[in-house]
Every structure is written in structure tokens, then in C-alpha cells.
Amino acid sequence: MTQNDAFEFIHNDALLASSLWANIALAGVAILLFIYMGRNVEDPRAQLIWVATLLVPLVSISSYAGLVSGLTVGFLEMPAGHALAGEGGVFSPWGRYLTWTFSTPMILVALGLLAGTNRAKLATAVTMDIGMCITGLAAALTTGSYLLRWVFYGISCAFFVAVLYVLLVEWPADAKAAGTSEIFGTLKVLTVVLWLGYPILWALGAEGFAVLDVAITSWGYSGLDIFAKYVFAFLLLRWVAANERIIGRTDSIAEETTTSSASPVDD
Ligand code: RET
């Protein structure tokens, strides 16, 4: 299959093509809107949250351009045991899993800074998240053994548990101390609920048990992306733009970088 075959395969299926183009359009709107919303943010910490948030639709538009062009998709022969084994090449949008490696850490950086995280927790969340995405990519691309597809899936879930732990246990306590509990609480619930949808969809879609067909699975991810990326980022930026001073006062990471030894006269 050439890239041109892939491009045609996608565009012969209106449902599949629209699931990709819809996100290109939305990401474009989100980029312009977020630049506008952040135009007056001056506090460096709030600016960092803003840049991390802006990178989410920027990565997304690149990701979907890769998918829709046929560059980051393939057709994989599934191994014996898989529901679609022996049916010829199964459409695999592997570029999705690859680009999550770049977009999801940005979501976590923005959330962590909002919560006033320290560097250890932020590094934990980000590295575990990258582990989750890369092993998820491995699960999708493994064609030698059906069992090993699910082994990679299991490893990815284990990484995901670490991310959930930071989100559900560590950062809520930090956010309380930072005075950002309310907005953090909203975004935490949105993130946890939506992110849980991805492994469920993977298991039900063509990569997993193949209960859902390729176009429906693709719309599933696209729908989750719309809420987990653009709606999430919009709510976060709107709050940051209006509450810059609260962010400025949250100093865990700023403090670590300016005074590495503990200072008894803080505050
Ligand atoms: C996979 C399959 C393997 C098991 C697990 C997964 C989790 C994926 C998640 C993705 C989130 C993506 C987002 C993208 C927005 O840009 C890789 C599907 C646990 C949680 C939020």
C-alpha cells in the first residue's frame, strides 16, 4: 500500500475522513482562539501554562494532518487469534498513538503547574505518560503475536495507573495548598473520565477485539480529543487569563529553581 492508496482509502470513507478533517478544523480555530486569550498574560508561570496549553492544538493539527494525508497510517496483517486475522491489511492510524507522546505531556505540564506541583511529581507524571503512549504504539504495531499485543497493552495500562495516581492523589493536595482547588478539581474530573475512554476504545476498536469498525473507532478518538484537548484547554486558559495573580503566587517550581537550598525565611 502506498501513501496514495492510504489517502484514497480514507477519502472513500466519508465517516473516516470527516473524523480527521473535523479535528483539523477545530484545532485551527483553537490555536487562534488560544493565542488571542493569552495575549495579556504576563506572569512567567502563567505564560508557561499558556504555552503548554497552546501546544496541545498545535500538536493535534500536525497529528491529524499526518493521518489525513496517509503519511502516518498503515495497513497491518493481524496475527492469529485476532478477530481480523487473515482478512488482509487492517487500517491502522498509528500516528495517533505516536503524537499522543507529545500532546499528553503538555496537558500534564499545564495541569501540574496549575496545581503547584514540585518537579519530582511533574517528572513522574510526564515520564509515565510517555511510557504509556509509546507502549500503546507498540501494542498497535505488534503483528508477530496476538498475546504480545495485549502484553504491551497491559504495560501501557500500568504506566497509566501511575499517571492517574498523580492526578487523583498527589496534585489535588498540592492544588489545595496553592488555592487552585476549584478549577483543578473540574479539570481533573474531565481529564480522568475522558482519558479512561481511550484504553476502552482501543480494546473495543479494530486494534483490540474489533467490536467497532475503523470509522466508528476513529470518530470515538476524535470525539474524546475534542473534549480532552480543546474543551479542556479552553477552560484552563480562561481561568488562567482571569486569575493570573493566583498562579503567580504558586511558587513550588519557581522556588526550587531560584533557591535550591531550603530557605527558612520564605514568605
Ligand atoms: C492506549 C492503549 C493502551 C492502554 C492505554 C492507552 C491509553 C491512552 C490514553 C490516551 C490519551 C490521549 C489523549 C490525547 C489528547 O491529545 C494507548 C489507548 C492506557 C489515556 C488525552
Side-chain angles (χ1 to χ4, degrees):
M1 282 269 186
T2 63
Q3 256 183 51
N4 196 39
D5 295 332
F7 180 84
E8 277 178 8
F9 175 89
I10 292 166
H11 291 90
N12 281 333
D13 184 337
L15 201 58
L16 179 59
S18 60
S19 74
L20 306 176
W21 282 111
N23 261 271
I24 293 185
L26 276 172
V29 172
I31 292 165
L32 298 177
L33 178 66
F34 295 171
I35 291 174
Y36 176 76
M37 286 171 80
R39 71 199 180 285
N40 293 326
V41 173
E42 269 165 14
D43 174 75
R45 205 181 157 82
Q47 283 177 339
L48 190 52
I49 297 182
W50 176 64
V51 170
T53 311
L54 183 60
L55 273 159
V56 175
L58 283 170
V59 171
S60 188
I61 203 166
S62 320
S63 169
Y64 279 98
L67 295 171
V68 89
S69 62
L71 175 66
T72 56
V73 305
F75 293 85
L76 302 178
E77 259 337 306
M78 288 298 163
H82 190 279
L84 302 175
E87 298 208 0
V90 175
F91 177 76
S92 168
W94 54 264
R96 267 193 202 281
Y97 316 121
L98 180 67
T99 50
W100 289 345
T101 314
F102 305 100
S103 58
T104 53
M106 291 306 133
I107 294 176
L108 293 173
V109 167
L111 269 179
L113 291 173
L114 178 70
T117 181
N118 68 20
R119 276 190 269 170
K121 291 179 202 175
L122 188 61
T124 305
V126 167
T127 51
M128 296 294 165
D129 173 69
I130 292 174
M132 174 189 84
C133 295
I134 293 292
T135 50
L137 174 67
L141 290 181
T142 298
T143 53
S145 147
Y146 184 56
L147 175 66
L148 276 160
R149 288 178 72 83
W150 288 106
V151 168
F152 274 125
Y153 182 91
I155 300 173
S156 179
C157 287
F159 279 120
F160 188 32
V161 169
V163 175
L164 289 177
Y165 175 80
V166 175
L167 274 173
L168 288 171
V169 181
E170 297 292 340
W171 285 349
D174 293 340
K176 205 166 196 173
T180 54
S181 253
E182 213 177 301
I183 179 71
F184 180 83
T186 308
L187 295 174
K188 175 194 74 183
V189 172
L190 192 72
T191 301
V192 170
V193 170
L194 291 167
W195 285 35
L196 281 169
Y198 290 81
I200 295 174
L201 197 58
W202 197 100
L204 295 179
E207 323 270 19
F209 297 119
V211 179
L212 305 174
D213 78 16
V214 161
I216 299 288
T217 312
S218 187
W219 257 113
Y221 285 127
S222 292
L224 286 172
D225 274 4
I226 290 169
F227 291 95
K229 289 174 172 165
Y230 318 125
V231 173
F232 165 91
F234 175 79
L235 294 174
L236 175 57
L237 267 189
R238 193 179 57 170
W239 191 90
V240 169
N243 298 278
E244 223 184 308
R245 271 188 287 132
I246 300 182
I247 302 282
R249 270 191 269 129
T250 319
D251 51 8
S252 54
I253 285 190
E255 189 187 322
E256 283 174 57
T257 45
T258 50
T259 52
S260 47
S261 57
S263 150
V265 286
D266 267 344
D267 257 355

